[in-house]
Amino acid sequence: MKPATKRSVIVLAICAVCTLFLLVLWERGFVPLQQMEYFAQDWQTRLGRKTPVDDRLVFIGIDKPVYLSDFSDDELQSEPVLRHLQKSFPWSRAVWARLIEKLSDAGAKVIVFDLVFATPDEGDDELHQALEKYKDRVVIGYDISVGKTERGNFRELLLPNSTILATEETNSPVEDDRLGYVNIWPDFDDTLRRVSYRQTSAQVGDLVPAEVVLESLDARALRKFGRPDLIPTGFNPRLFRYTAAPGYGYKPCPIGEVLSPKLWEKNHANGKDFKDKIVLIGPTAEIFHDEHNTPFTDPKPMAGPEIHLNILNAALHGEFPIERSLLPSLFIIALSGVIAGALCFIIRQPGKRFLSVVGLSIGYAVLAQLLFDHAGRVIPVAVPFIVLIVSSLIVLAYDFVLERLERVKLRHTMGLYFSPRVLEAVLADPGS
């Protein structure tokens, strides 16, 4: 076999083996490859376009567990519920009842609590009355809890206690449109990139009858906002576009500021800031430990309520990038192997070939970012890079070894006819 033909066969074999090997690993869900792909996807999220901040969303934060001396005597007298804030959290449920009343009177369209009132507590009767009076505009949370015993894991629904929410006769309490699950499930690397707006009975471990559909806190809020059409269809998790890094999208209004008569008038124009808005209430202080890893989790994670606002904002703007299914992804990976092989044939000089691979990689990364930002499409990035670079490097190493072997062979052959001095001059300048 001629040397050129032999090289061609080996180059094709190298590119084919590398490509097929990575295709098999990707198709079988090889975890390290998936982690690399998530790493690339997170960089796209950080660098790329964000969902615009929607002013129809307002955030009220539980910013500290106790307000010791934040209110004047006049404020405490005119708004007695403030005295409950001067005790340690959890506060009397009368606080939430008064907050519902105050926001409803101000014209808030939906009031969402990222809280689960599971155990009976002081003020349950007041909260029950508020939930009944304003049932068309309030959503509270429940939790799909996972526990462990010696016999294994189990699941249960952690619902508001019956004093707060006496649900009507239905197949399951979760059918009450005032209830939505607060759970947000991360990917296997404990980073939240996708959201489930609804779950089937089977998905939650058959905790409810088979015909019952469970809806998230965010889905319930969108329904009460009059936009059920914005809830993505189906039961599969959907990738969503974030609004901003933690703390930069929706700034929380402290709950003490909202309930303070003086600050209510001064900072919120007597409630005009909340008119026709979705108002979400939830814990933001670190002491509550309601934080989750996101693609921005450097330097810090994101508070749970802020994540719910990002999820709601994505729905309001329809920002759900479409991920490629398995077959198109496999095609892109295979195509990168074909391109690697073509470069090895077209460009024989190692330096130029290396620069070409780098240039193609940068160009592909830019294309992937443009598709993510402007077309809402997600294509694999890390694995095609690996196929292109690894195939090219192996062929480069093979060409280097082949050249060294040719030089050794040439030195041996010419050494039979030339003196060492002439031989060195010829090898130094073969073209002569």
Side-chain angles (χ1 to χ4, degrees):
M1 184 182 294
K2 294 181 179 180
T5 304
K6 183 179 179 181
R7 179 187 180 276
S8 300
V9 172
I10 292 177
V11 167
L12 286 174
I14 290 172
C15 294
V17 169
C18 287
T19 304
L20 287 173
F21 179 68
L22 286 164
L23 280 172
V24 171
L25 291 180
W26 179 255
E27 192 273 333
R28 294 188 177 183
F30 188 55
V31 171
L33 285 184
Q34 189 64 63
Q35 287 175 324
M36 293 178 191
E37 203 60 59
Y38 279 161
F39 178 80
Q41 194 176 102
D42 290 348
W43 270 103
Q44 286 184 324
T45 300
R46 289 193 286 268
L47 297 175
R49 182 176 64 83
K50 312 298 188 294
T51 303
V53 174
D54 197 310
D55 61 6
R56 293 174 291 179
L57 298 172
V58 180
F59 185 13
I60 295 178
I62 306 170
D63 59 321
K64 49 187 174 181
V66 60
Y67 285 77
L68 291 175
S69 56
D70 297 75
F71 311 114
S72 65
D73 291 338
D74 290 341
E75 286 182 296
L76 292 171
Q77 187 173 358
S78 62
E79 187 63 270
V81 77
L82 292 175
R83 298 185 186 276
H84 294 299
L85 300 187
Q86 295 182 320
K87 301 175 184 179
S88 295
F89 192 89
W91 303 312
S92 167
R93 269 75 186 264
V95 170
W96 313 120
R98 175 59 182 140
L99 189 60
I100 291 171
E101 180 184 32
K102 194 167 188 177
L103 291 171
S104 297
D105 291 344
K109 196 164 185 179
V110 187
I111 303 163
V112 186
F113 286 91
D114 184 15
L115 297 168
V116 178
F117 305 108
T119 57
D121 207 342
E122 178 188 352
D124 278 353
D125 289 333
E126 289 96 320
L127 182 54
H128 169 73
Q129 292 172 17
L131 290 173
E132 288 296 316
K133 182 177 180 180
Y134 302 104
K135 63 191 308 180
D136 293 334
R137 67 178 73 199
V138 181
V139 182
I140 63 176
Y142 68 90
D143 184 55
I144 304 170
S145 177
V146 178
K148 292 184 178 181
T149 66
E150 294 179 354
R151 297 182 179 180
N153 296 342
F154 70 94
R155 289 192 175 195
E156 62 177 347
L157 294 178
L158 200 61
L159 297 164
N161 71 77
S162 57
T163 304
I164 288 177
L165 203 64
T167 56
E168 300 175 357
E169 291 296 327
T170 56
N171 291 326
S172 171
V174 301
E175 292 187 294
D176 190 318
D177 68 354
R178 293 171 291 178
L179 281 175
Y181 61 79
V182 297
N183 305 74
I184 41 181
W185 292 280
D187 291 321
F188 68 84
D189 62 348
D190 199 35
T191 300
L192 186 78
R193 303 178 184 89
R194 294 163 183 79
V195 57
S196 294
Y197 285 89
R198 53 170 68 85
Q199 295 275 293
T200 65
S201 173
Q203 285 175 308
V204 299
D206 299 315
L207 295 176
V208 296
E211 66 274 12
V212 173
V213 173
L214 301 87
E215 288 200 325
S216 70
L217 196 73
D218 312 297
R220 294 294 196 194
L222 290 167
R223 286 193 185 281
K224 297 216 167 182
F225 195 59
R227 296 306 305 270
D229 56 300
L230 297 179
I231 305 172
T233 58
F235 298 93
N236 294 326
R238 295 289 299 272
L239 186 71
F240 68 96
R241 196 186 299 277
Y242 276 87
T243 303
Y248 289 93
Y250 287 95
K251 303 287 185 179
C253 307
I255 186 172
E257 178 181 302
V258 176
L259 289 173
S260 163
K262 179 175 65 177
L263 297 177
W264 174 258
E265 179 181 358
K266 178 182 177 182
N267 295 346
H268 301 291
N270 280 325
K272 290 181 181 178
D273 292 348
F274 301 98
K275 184 175 175 58
D276 297 325
K277 306 291 178 67
I278 297 176
V279 183
L280 189 138
I281 301 105
T284 57
E286 292 184 4
I287 193 173
F288 296 111
H289 302 294
D290 184 13
E291 295 179 325
H292 304 267
N293 293 328
T294 69
F296 303 95
T297 305
D298 187 13
K300 64 178 183 178
M302 184 177 285
E306 189 178 356
I307 289 178
H308 283 293
L309 286 164
N310 276 261
I311 292 169
L312 283 167
N313 197 29
L316 289 173
H317 292 267
E319 291 286 3
F320 300 101
I322 298 173
E323 299 180 90
R324 295 293 88 193
S325 59
L326 181 61
L327 285 179
S329 297
L330 293 176
F331 174 77
I332 292 172
I333 294 169
L335 183 61
S336 65
V338 172
I339 293 172
L343 285 176
C344 293
F345 281 107
I346 297 171
I347 306 174
R348 296 296 296 268
Q349 293 184 0
K352 290 183 179 180
R353 191 191 311 157
F354 176 76
L355 291 176
S356 299
V357 169
V358 172
L360 278 174
S361 299
I362 294 173
Y364 181 74
V366 171
L367 173 64
Q369 189 69 57
L370 290 173
L371 288 174
F372 179 76
D373 288 345
H374 303 292
R377 296 290 187 273
V378 179
I379 59 175
V381 174
V383 181
F385 275 8
I386 294 171
V387 171
L388 183 63
I389 292 171
V390 170
S391 298
S392 300
L393 287 177
I394 293 176
V395 172
L396 194 64
Y398 167 73
D399 284 341
F400 176 77
V401 172
L402 187 64
E403 181 184 356
R404 299 300 298 177
L405 291 174
E406 290 293 331
R407 288 178 67 87
V408 169
K409 183 179 179 181
L410 180 63
R411 177 185 292 274
H412 174 72
T413 302
M414 295 186 66
L416 300 174
Y417 304 100
F418 299 99
S419 66
R421 186 173 180 181
V422 174
L423 177 61
E424 292 299 330
V426 172
L427 292 175
D429 185 11
S432 64

